[in-house]
Amino acid sequence: MSYKVAVVGATGNVGREMLSILAERQFPVSEVVALASTRSTGTDVSFGDAILKVKALDYFDFSGVDICLMSAGSAVSKEWSPKIAAAGAIVIDNSSQWRMDREVPLIVPEVNADVLNSGIKKGIIANPNCSTVQLVVALKPLHDAATIKRVVVSTYQSVSGAGKAAMDELFRQTRAVFVADPIEKDKFTKQIAFNVIPHCDVFLDSGYTKEEWKLLVETQKILDPDIQVVATCVRVPVFIGHSESVTVEFEKPLTAERARAILRAAPGVLVIDKREDGGYITPLEAAGEDATYVSRIRKDPTVENGLSLWIVSDNLRKGAALNAIQIAESLINRKLLKGMR
Ligand SMILES: NC(=O)c1ccc[n+]([C@@H]2O[C@H](COP(=O)([O-])OP(=O)(O)OC[C@H]3O[C@@H](n4cnc5c(N)ncnc54)[C@H](OP(=O)(O)O)[C@@H]3O)[C@@H](O)[C@H]2O)c1
């Protein structure tokens, strides 16, 4: 079988990564269509060795499309995902628009792909937020072993998580510092070059940011509604790769040694954990890779059953594009997709 795939947001950080991963994994495509706003009509994007001309979402007819990988933000998804699903495609959406909708599965294949068997009522599947994906990939096997009660997480999130304009801003500001040009701010309200900003997404009345709230509610929806999560999300001057310092409290005892062995056997996880200089992963090394890396596994001596970990992954790949394509592969494996012989 092969499938007609549309990528909406094909000129963006996540969309370009989607095209590259579709080609890399030899996803069974009969045709790939690259879509973006009218601003990008006619521009070129790469799909493996091929070049695709970008078409405008506004004028595209979705009939015949089997899968739509949607990565153009919440407003576009709100308007378009239901229309695209009504035209017969399954939409896998990267925005936060549908994640908490009870009728929309929120999927990380290593963790909860079986939820897909219960039906895709709206024709839409949501991809979680990038910081949630890597967190639940690492936490799921530990939860199965010792039941997680509470998670305290501080994130160190790369600028690519805020889109391509944010990457350009870090680049421009870094250059401006070296050549003593004035610093211009646009995507970030404070200078991001040579700085860290304790603010990702908008502020909520609670005092938390929406990014911090997403880590709580998405982890509960994917893993277990009884898990408590408190988060501090921080933007750092890294181009690609989100890092997380995570402390987990369990109901049952779990030693660092056993956790290390469990994580070594877990799908999607690579453990790099030598207690010596450089014996851990950094975002620079995780960029371009598929795994969720876990380092610095150690006992938290301040609670009865606690562990601390360092979790790093490429936010554009496992945090977005790769996870979406793995969802599409899960649909194929479960025979939940129409296609063409
Ligand atoms: N970056 C991450 O780590 C990450 C992780 C998880 C989820 N996400 C989510 O994925 C989505 C895309 O993120 P990104 O980082 O790829 O952003 P981006 O680099 O800013 O790209 C945005 C894409 O959306 C397109 N777009 C914007 N308005 C449009 C419209 N009216 N009609 C059609 N296309 C439109 C843009 O096309 P033009 O080039 O024509 O403007 C571009 O292709 C967002 O919802 C984001 O929250 C991102």
Side-chain angles (χ1 to χ4, degrees):
M1 291 290 271
S2 61
Y3 305 89
K4 183 168 176 180
V5 180
V7 176
V8 177
T11 53
N13 273 347
V14 176
R16 283 178 194 270
E17 202 68 45
M18 282 171 162
L19 290 168
S20 120
I21 295 173
L22 283 170
E24 216 177 276
R25 291 172 81 93
Q26 299 183 327
F27 191 88
V29 295
S30 54
E31 189 185 342
V32 179
V33 190
L35 301 166
S37 77
T38 46
R39 297 179 288 274
S40 303
T41 305
T43 56
D44 292 341
V45 286
S46 306
F47 170 59
D49 294 332
I51 299 288
L52 305 178
K53 287 270 177 227
V54 174
K55 298 180 180 170
L57 169 66
D58 289 355
Y59 304 111
F60 187 70
D61 175 3
F62 278 88
S63 39
V65 171
D66 300 299
I67 312 167
C68 176
L69 302 174
M70 188 85 183
S71 189
S74 296
V76 176
S77 181
K78 185 177 182 183
E79 179 187 349
W80 280 91
S81 294
K83 292 191 214 169
I84 299 169
I90 298 271
V91 178
I92 302 173
D93 181 45
N94 263 279
S95 80
S96 57
Q97 178 60 36
W98 307 98
R99 290 179 191 152
M100 297 316 295
D101 186 316
R102 282 172 192 276
E103 295 187 331
V104 173
L106 180 64
I107 302 292
V108 178
E110 294 89 336
V111 179
N112 67 341
D114 287 346
V115 171
L116 293 170
N117 299 334
S118 315
I120 307 156
K121 290 195 191 77
K122 288 192 165 150
I124 302 170
I125 301 167
N127 213 37
N129 187 40
C130 36
S131 11
T132 310
V133 175
Q134 65 187 71
L135 183 69
V136 297
V137 167
L139 292 189
K140 158 80 172 151
L142 303 181
H143 185 52
D144 289 345
T147 313
I148 295 173
K149 280 176 19 187
R150 177 171 181 257
V151 178
V152 182
V153 51
S154 297
T155 68
Y156 303 70
Q157 298 186 212
S158 66
V159 292
S160 58
K164 59 185 189 299
M167 294 178 85
D168 293 343
E169 187 157 320
L170 172 58
F171 182 83
R172 277 196 312 273
Q173 287 185 357
T174 306
R175 188 189 161 281
V177 168
F178 281 112
V179 300
D181 272 353
I183 299 289
E184 283 170 20
K185 299 190 277 289
D186 177 25
K187 284 291 279 186
F188 302 112
T189 43
K190 301 225 179 194
Q191 177 179 324
I192 183 66
F194 305 98
N195 202 5
V196 297
I197 305 175
H199 170 195
C200 302
D201 210 332
V202 296
F203 274 91
L204 306 175
D205 289 344
S206 60
Y208 285 86
T209 62
K210 195 167 174 199
E211 189 83 357
E212 292 160 351
W213 172 83
K214 285 179 215 163
L215 270 163
L216 164 68
V217 292
E218 293 180 16
T219 300
Q220 289 182 333
K221 179 165 173 178
I222 297 165
L223 213 51
D224 187 334
D226 290 335
I227 296 178
Q228 292 304 318
V229 180
V230 61
T232 304
C233 292
V234 181
R235 191 72 67 189
V236 296
V238 165
F239 280 104
I240 294 175
H242 287 358
S243 308
E244 294 175 342
S245 160
V246 183
T247 293
V248 191
E249 194 180 343
F250 300 93
E251 261 170 31
K252 296 175 232 161
L254 182 63
T255 63
E257 291 65 37
R258 196 164 148 241
R260 201 171 290 116
I262 289 168
L263 287 166
R264 278 196 203 288
V269 178
L270 274 179
V271 176
I272 300 196
D273 193 20
K274 290 192 188 148
R275 293 175 171 179
E276 62 186 36
D277 282 359
Y280 43 79
I281 193 89
T282 63
L284 200 60
E285 297 151 293
E289 302 293 330
D290 289 351
T292 294
Y293 292 89
V294 184
S295 303
R296 306 284 327 274
I297 305 165
R298 61 211 190 275
K299 179 180 169 58
D300 169 7
T302 65
V303 292
E304 198 183 341
N305 299 313
L307 290 176
S308 289
L309 329 158
W310 174 248
I311 303 172
V312 182
S313 193
D314 181 326
N315 53 295
L316 298 178
R317 290 178 75 88
K318 185 58 190 164
L322 173 65
N323 197 66
I325 290 161
Q326 287 173 319
I327 294 173
E329 291 169 348
S330 304
L331 292 172
I332 295 174
N333 294 338
R334 286 170 166 71
K335 305 199 180 339
L336 294 169
L337 261 190
K338 289 182 290 196
M340 219 172 63
R341 268 192 204 285

